[in-house]
Amino acid sequence: MPHKHLFRDDYSEGAHPRLLEALSKTNTQQEPGYGADSFTHEAEQLIIKKIKQPQARVHFVAGGTLANLTSLSAISKPYESVILTENGHPNVHEAGAVEATGHKLYVVAGVGGKLTPDAIQKVVAEHTDEHMVVPRTAYISQATEMGTVYSKKELQALSKVCRQHKLYLYVDGARIANAIMAEDADHDIDTIAELSDMFFIGGTKNGALFGEAIVIVNPNLQDKFRYHLKQRGALMAKTRAISVQFLEMFKDNLYFDNAKHANQMAQKLAKGIAECGYEFLTVSPTNQIFPILPDSIIEQLQKKYGFYVWVPNVSITGKTSTSAIRLVTSWATSQDAVNEFLSDLKSLGKT
Amino acid sequence: MPHKHLFRDDYSEGAHPRLLEALSKTNTQQEPGYGADSFTHEAEQLIIKKIKQPQARVHFVAGGTLANLTSLSAISKPYESVILTENGHPNVHEAGAVEATGHKLYVVAGVGGKLTPDAIQKVVAEHTDEHMVVPRTAYISQATEMGTVYSKKELQALSKVCRQHKLYLYVDGARIANAIMAEDADHDIDTIAELSDMFFIGGTKNGALFGEAIVIVNPNLQDKFRYHLKQRGALMAKTRAISVQFLEMFKDNLYFDNAKHANQMAQKLAKGIAECGYEFLTVSPTNQIFPILPDSIIEQLQKKYGFYVWVPNVSITGKTSTSAIRLVTSWATSQDAVNEFLSDLKSLGKT
Amino acid sequence: MPHKHLFRDDYSEGAHPRLLEALSKTNTQQEPGYGADSFTHEAEQLIIKKIKQPQARVHFVAGGTLANLTSLSAISKPYESVILTENGHPNVHEAGAVEATGHKLYVVAGVGGKLTPDAIQKVVAEHTDEHMVVPRTAYISQATEMGTVYSKKELQALSKVCRQHKLYLYVDGARIANAIMAEDADHDIDTIAELSDMFFIGGTKNGALFGEAIVIVNPNLQDKFRYHLKQRGALMAKTRAISVQFLEMFKDNLYFDNAKHANQMAQKLAKGIAECGYEFLTVSPTNQIFPILPDSIIEQLQKKYGFYVWVPNVSITGKTSTSAIRLVTSWATSQDAVNEFLSDLKSLGKT
Amino acid sequence: MPHKHLFRDDYSEGAHPRLLEALSKTNTQQEPGYGADSFTHEAEQLIIKKIKQPQARVHFVAGGTLANLTSLSAISKPYESVILTENGHPNVHEAGAVEATGHKLYVVAGVGGKLTPDAIQKVVAEHTDEHMVVPRTAYISQATEMGTVYSKKELQALSKVCRQHKLYLYVDGARIANAIMAEDADHDIDTIAELSDMFFIGGTKNGALFGEAIVIVNPNLQDKFRYHLKQRGALMAKTRAISVQFLEMFKDNLYFDNAKHANQMAQKLAKGIAECGYEFLTVSPTNQIFPILPDSIIEQLQKKYGFYVWVPNVSITGKTSTSAIRLVTSWATSQDAVNEFLSDLKSLGKT
């Protein structure tokens, strides 16, 4: 029996209706393949303008893991490694995709899911000769896999330590819009572009049917990137299928509005859950929240709602067996679904 | 100045309108990600039924190179190689994608773009010890990159020699529908399924917005394939975006009708060109034809039509400088475009 | 100005004289290449007999990193990973060699440099689906990089948890003889063979001119291993150059006597250093010891002796700045060198 | 029953006695590991002087396949390929070692086993965009696997076309001494150094116990090469074990004398065989010859001599079934063995 509402992830629905309309409207126009089409050119220009980096280049690919593995392998020499936290997506949820391209991931402890300048410096200091890899790239995700957001100051500090040690700063932006549209966010997407060497703008998790936009800010990393894309199977014949969507999302504020809605729904959930007296695994201002609930209540909720138990057996009070669950909202999450969940939770708490 | 009509490839347009409609219709339905959705399940069942191999498993990926590199690396041990002809797509047009996964491609001479049992047998005979790789898979494309089609008898002979030597037969079906719908075709898709171990059903070049369906016929090759997909960045969060399209294409005969139309348009072009007295590089019954035209006429045509010069300086008669061009038609190619091209060619011939 | 004595590593000299004699004695005998020679066959038989595993197969390669990368990649499917501690040689001192073959290393915290069954179990429990790699091999080194030794009981516990979860247990035996000849050692090499699936017997660090013997105990891992060797450049034309040495070392007790001497020299050093009142980083019964000395004394010692500062700024007492150094002895370390070092240390302590 | 004499390869014996003596003489000297020792430094200097390229850098590795795979992967970006002939060692006899590092080998037809400038030019012309790899290196072996030798003029022409198209010229010198010491040779090793970007000087097949010297002539290719070596398992702890041998071979003319003797023995064999009226597969002035003999005579010879049947069923005259065999001589091949073989052949021919 299917769940009434899914809070399992931000890709449970298709695409924002405007994107499907854009695909329909442009459908019969004949265009060259593999990204040489006019839509792709136009979408690249829009993004470049938005991020205020005229020298940047944009490439559209089908998914986030493909973006990460292609990008990180393209900018790393065989003996170069990537520094990231234990929660970093390539470390846990990409089935060894980056290592499969031959590169070591060097895992360090994050603070609230976030990489710190100190951790980077320590890794650099330890890698001194040819018996070891050369750390070359610091990978961060903004927002992180734990729903947290790097502040502008934190990004600046990371960028500074990277540039000091000639490391690249790579930002996985699968949920970049959620970070930027967080209520207390202190920076826009141009800040991320300015402080990083390469990042991707996520479509899949923010209302696109599929697709991400890889942005290469650092000109030294732009040469022959299409060869890397082709070799990894990431150069799409109908790149237009992605770029038409980005065109639509960036021609006004749709891309950011999608995230704003998702964030609002999650924060409303968080507020309601907190009011019921529950704690959270992390303080997340974005569309992923990690409340800690009694297992008995989780069990009841699971009958009606789809979501993941993220960390089983998290005991805060010690009284009862509790677990952290993950609730994710999207551009398509309805107020009603949120209200219904909170109302059910309240009822369950009473019993 | 853009061309009036493109005969450059079979992916110059978006998608068949029915596929966009299907995407719209299913858009808001909440479903689990990564292929666990009901559309994917249903599409897999439809395909399995169509190919008459109940034990087969189907996986949907974003593109053909991704399908090839993921599949061929998944079924090959590190020291195992793939046999293919010099025109085989992974040999020339995938930027070394299969080698990038660590595997040798062993190139043999094709006959009309087609791999022969003799060539396979010779390769197997030559590879005798651990100083050499072990040939494990024979790669063919149906239809071939030269527009030609393997007959049922040819496929049976290849299948036989492969099974005799414990090789896998892998069929790149980017244009499988064009092969099956060729006027003199002597087999259906179930024949290909029966005779091969693994193949993919191409969507991108046959009217889909994007996407291919990898079919693993041989049960020995099915285990853990989703791990390979994930590792290569080929497991899509919204797999539904592909499977909804395949569902629509396979619920009636749309998938094959698309190819039938493309073939008819190409054959009409071929007939008209032949009537003008021109030769062809290969005898192609599918949607790619390779007429040989005087360079002066090619130059004129290129002002109005987009197409590739495939083999420059092909001299048949020796009188004038001639080249082979490639004309490709699709599900969307109009009768008018074909007529216009032929009419122009006729006029040019007269001057 | 070169140091009077090196305690830098166990490969500062050439080979035990008996090995050079054996190479000379067999030098003109004509033999087939690539390990098909009679010496290699005989050495394999001797080793098999010594480890009491008649079904085992032995392969001789030039070095330890080559042994590790070839072995670990051979026994891992593309999506399978290796569990090891942060000190594990492939994690820190092989320049990403295993990742370069496409495989993830999963690093866990060791206890005294040693991998624990609990850590393995935790990793297995966490890896549940195709978004993650599949842990397949547990890598340990015996003796460890920190000079410590797994007891028989510890090996049994590791072996048990590995077999329970269908993991392979792989033992890096670069210093296997030092482990077995440790004063309080409770097991012989046959125990390691019995409890593991694959291991290597180190030559380079125990008196051989070069070379290691990879032993594949588990018959399921033996097939086509020579193909892997060849593909990694590890199959030597004159394999005899290695196997003649192993033949000499295993025809009597030379292999173990070499390690016994090295251990004794290190333990004599350790005893003398302890008598001077210094602490150690780990309790090592083998040929690597890690005393913690005041930096001022280290500076003095470095004028005459070659050794590495292993962990700078280790402060035990807090009074003075201290660092952990590494002293390594070998089959060739002389009593005189040890006495001289201790005498110098004693003098320095007085000032 | 073992053969009385082996003509199977040039690595059937151990090492030239002077090399074993040199290893003994230097044996107890304590030195730093991994090539930081004084022998390695001295050997590098000797080689640099001999090849007259003061900016060159030399690295010593255990074998030829290891040299090739490490070098070719180090100098190639992921999307770059290596051009070589069908007989090129990495194409046929390295079990896919180069592809296993992710790089495509592009095979072209050789002329007498030799790569031609025309073939290179054609490959470069064909590779035009990101759907294809970028040809970056031309691989040749001097002498070739067919025993033939590039003339100075041929090398100059190859070098010229490579530099014109920004390709690297890489020379596999497993038998470089045999090429240089061929009777009609028109160039020395400094010519090869001058015309190439990178090459290796083979020890294994020319009297060393094992080991090859990789020479990086082009300064652009020198950076971080030790990282590549380490990552491929090619950086030996006791690099001295190789460099001491090269020191001995290059301190006078031993390295070249070894090859001169081998060549003379092979040419004596060739002359005798030709006098018996037999043809050859190639005209080889080096230590590998490929006579074509009746199968009945081959069968008789195989009872007493070890050698390979290289191409079965080569029919020159058509009268009888004939095959090409390969006879290889080495620094250790005796006049007696050669005389005995020729005498036996003569007798067999009479029957």
Side-chain angles (χ1 to χ4, degrees), chain D residues 260-295:
Chain D
K260 191 177 179 187
H261 174 80
N263 285 359
Q264 283 173 342
M265 292 302 100
Q267 295 310 310
K268 192 170 179 181
L269 274 174
K271 190 159 170 274
I273 293 167
E275 283 169 6
C276 290
Y278 300 112
E279 308 270 348
F280 291 80
L281 202 61
T282 63
V283 179
S284 160
T286 60
N287 70 321
Q288 296 195 86
I289 59 171
F290 299 86
I292 299 164
L293 303 178
D295 289 350

Side-chain angles (χ1 to χ4, degrees), chain C residues 47 58-68 172-175 199-206 208-215 242-243 246 249 255, chain D residues 236-237:
Chain C
I47 288 173
V58 182
H59 302 273
F60 299 93
V61 301
T65 296
L66 204 49
N68 283 339
D172 178 330
R175 295 191 179 95
F199 67 106
F200 81 78
I201 303 175
T204 300
K205 292 175 176 167
N206 194 33
L209 187 61
F210 74 110
E212 334 288 319
I214 298 172
V215 182
I242 307 172
S243 54
F246 273 87
M249 290 193 289
Y255 183 70
Chain D
M236 289 194 78

Side-chain angles (χ1 to χ4, degrees), chain D residues 164-194:
Chain D
Q164 188 181 333
H165 295 296
K166 296 195 175 146
L167 266 66
Y168 304 126
L169 181 59
Y170 174 88
V171 184
D172 178 331
R175 294 191 179 95
I176 200 169
N178 301 102
I180 286 162
M181 301 309 289
E183 219 177 344
D184 55 351
D186 60 5
H187 61 279
D188 203 346
I189 196 166
D190 60 341
T191 300
I192 294 173
E194 184 197 332

